[in-house]
Structures are given as structure tokens and as C-alpha cells.
Amino acid sequence: MNARLPSSSLAIDACQSIGQIAVQLPGATAVFRRHKLDFCCGGQVSLQQAAADKGLDMEALLAELSALQRPAEAPAIEDPAQLIDHLLQRYHAVHREQLPELIRMARRVEAVHRDHPDVPAGLADLLEDIHGELLSHMHKEEAILFPALQAGGNPFVGQPIQVMRMEHTSHGAALERLAALTQDATPPQGACNTWRALYTGIGQFSDDLVQHIHLENNLLFPPFEAAPVAASPVQGCGSGSGCGCQ
């Protein structure tokens, strides 16, 4: 079964096992690690029981997990400045949270299951490459392009936009490699909770990055890109020009 689930589909219930929540809710593994809750080998314990055993505040824990649920659809945003704010909060900040945890889990899965025929060998390295490229890309947008667009644009923004479009194409190619290595984020039969949670997170990251690129390529960039320069009219074909066109 494909690991990908809509982020808004999970209603967090304290009676659910922490293993089930870890698999269904991308980012939950980082929360559980911070609170020293064993979601893999001890994942059959309910969230309520696990919190009680550790003396954790149940309401605070639920609030922390609920904050991970993100809208699947982008709001209707017409103003470029508002769209940029949305991109920064919904995608740039989220990618920075997603990838380190995915890399950590990938390293774990590759080490623990190295003899499994379906182990995604090289996944952590691929995710690290994606992480590095994406951090560089987002920094360029945040430091150079987005401030220019928020100020209304200028005659020179077409060049950095073109660079961002080219890098988006590279990100898309990396996502294709990621899908091939993970069987489209589909864990093998009998995969442990960490492996399943890893693929759920990869599924959400991939969907997020595709939507992120779509919003920039198709909504944010086009109004600022220069219109094609009209061809200059042919000169010298008038009366007495001597050009021989008559």
C-alpha cells in the first residue's frame, strides 16, 4: 500500500498507538524522539499510555502533533507579497523541518535493514543532496529574488527567475530519482514503523515540493517576467530606398 496520505486526513486520537500516528503523520517521529517515546519497537502502546508513562502533558503533546497537520490545498492568493509569505511559511520553513528528519530515518533504515532485498540503498545520500540543493535554492530566493518581487519587481528580475526555473527542473529530476529508489514511497510488506514513517514523510515532502514549484512557476513568476521584445520594423523598403524590393 502506498505510504502517502493526505495531511488533513488524520484526526489525532490519544487512544491511537504511537506507531500508527508515526506512520500516518509526517513529522511525528521527530516529536516522539524529542519526548523519548519509542514509536518503532514499542509502537503498539497508545499515545495516552505512552504520555502517562513518561509523565508528559497530554494536551501539550496533542497540540504539538496537531501543529504538524498542514492544508493540502493552497489558499487563493492574488497578491504577490501574500503569496511569497505563504511560500515562506508553508514550504520553505516546512522543507527545512522535513529533510533532516527524513535523512536521519533513512540512515537508520539503511543500517538496520541493510540485508533486506528492498532496502533503499543510497537513500540518505540522495536526501542529503536534495537538502543541500534546496537550502541553496531557497536562500537565493529569500535573499535576492523575493525581496525584489515584494518591492514590485524591476527590469532585471527576469534573469534570477530563469535561474530559479532551471533549478526547479533539477529538483523535479531529483524527485523522480527519489520515487524510483523508494518504489513511489511504497514500503515493502512487513516494513517496520520507522521504514513506513520514512516513506510517508517522503511522500508528503514530494507532494509539497511539487506544489511549491507549481505556485512559483505558474503563479508567482509570470507577472514579473519580461514580455518578448517586438521585432523591429523592416527599414529601407519605402519609396526611393533603392533596396530593390519593388
Side-chain angles (χ1 to χ4, degrees):
M1 182 178 68
N2 193 292
R4 194 170 304 173
L5 290 173
S7 60
S8 59
S9 66
L10 176 64
I12 301 173
D13 186 339
C15 294
Q16 283 181 292
S17 70
I18 58 175
Q20 182 182 12
I21 296 171
V23 167
Q24 291 183 322
L25 182 61
T29 57
V31 173
F32 292 151
R33 283 194 306 106
R34 281 199 301 274
H35 294 292
K36 300 188 181 341
L37 298 175
D38 181 8
F39 63 87
C40 197
C41 297
Q44 72 280 2
V45 177
S46 71
L47 179 64
Q48 186 173 39
Q49 185 61 53
D53 291 345
K54 291 286 186 179
L56 301 175
D57 183 328
M58 188 69 237
E59 292 302 316
L61 185 57
L62 283 172
E64 196 171 351
L65 292 169
S66 295
L68 298 172
Q69 298 189 91
R70 302 178 177 106
E73 300 297 329
I77 299 175
E78 300 289 340
D79 179 67
Q82 291 183 23
L83 179 54
I84 288 171
D85 286 342
H86 174 70
L87 289 165
L88 292 172
Q89 296 169 22
R90 174 61 182 86
Y91 296 104
H92 284 218
V94 171
H95 294 330
R96 288 187 170 101
E97 293 175 2
Q98 290 169 320
L99 283 161
E101 180 65 8
L102 294 177
I103 292 166
R104 187 202 68 80
M105 286 195 289
R107 292 271 179 227
R108 178 71 175 169
V109 168
E110 288 186 66
V112 172
H113 301 287
R114 57 185 173 274
D115 296 326
H116 194 290
D118 295 318
V119 69
L123 176 59
D125 288 343
L126 174 58
L127 288 168
E128 283 196 340
D129 289 344
I130 292 172
H131 187 212
E133 292 295 328
L134 200 52
L135 286 178
S136 173
H137 176 86
M138 293 189 299
H139 174 72
K140 283 182 279 190
E141 289 186 329
E142 293 164 3
I144 301 169
L145 181 58
F146 285 179
L149 300 186
Q150 286 172 318
N154 59 59
F156 308 104
V157 296
Q159 183 175 358
I161 286 175
Q162 186 61 29
V163 172
M164 295 301 99
R165 285 189 180 276
M166 292 172 60
E167 292 186 2
H168 287 167
T169 300
S170 297
H171 298 330
L175 288 181
E176 290 181 1
R177 296 195 297 274
L178 188 59
L181 188 56
T182 62
Q183 305 298 312
D184 197 23
T186 305
Q189 188 71 27
C192 70
N193 285 342
T194 300
W195 199 337
R196 293 165 64 202
L198 168 64
Y199 279 17
T200 298
I202 285 173
Q204 188 191 58
F205 165 71
S206 299
D207 289 345
D208 280 354
L209 186 53
V210 167
Q211 181 69 2
H212 177 183
I213 291 171
H214 155 67
L215 290 175
E216 292 187 1
N217 279 358
N218 300 321
L219 293 182
L220 179 62
F221 294 163
F224 293 97
E225 290 173 305
V229 178
S232 299
V234 176
Q235 300 294 325
C237 290
S239 173
S241 65
C243 70
C245 292
Q246 295 184 19

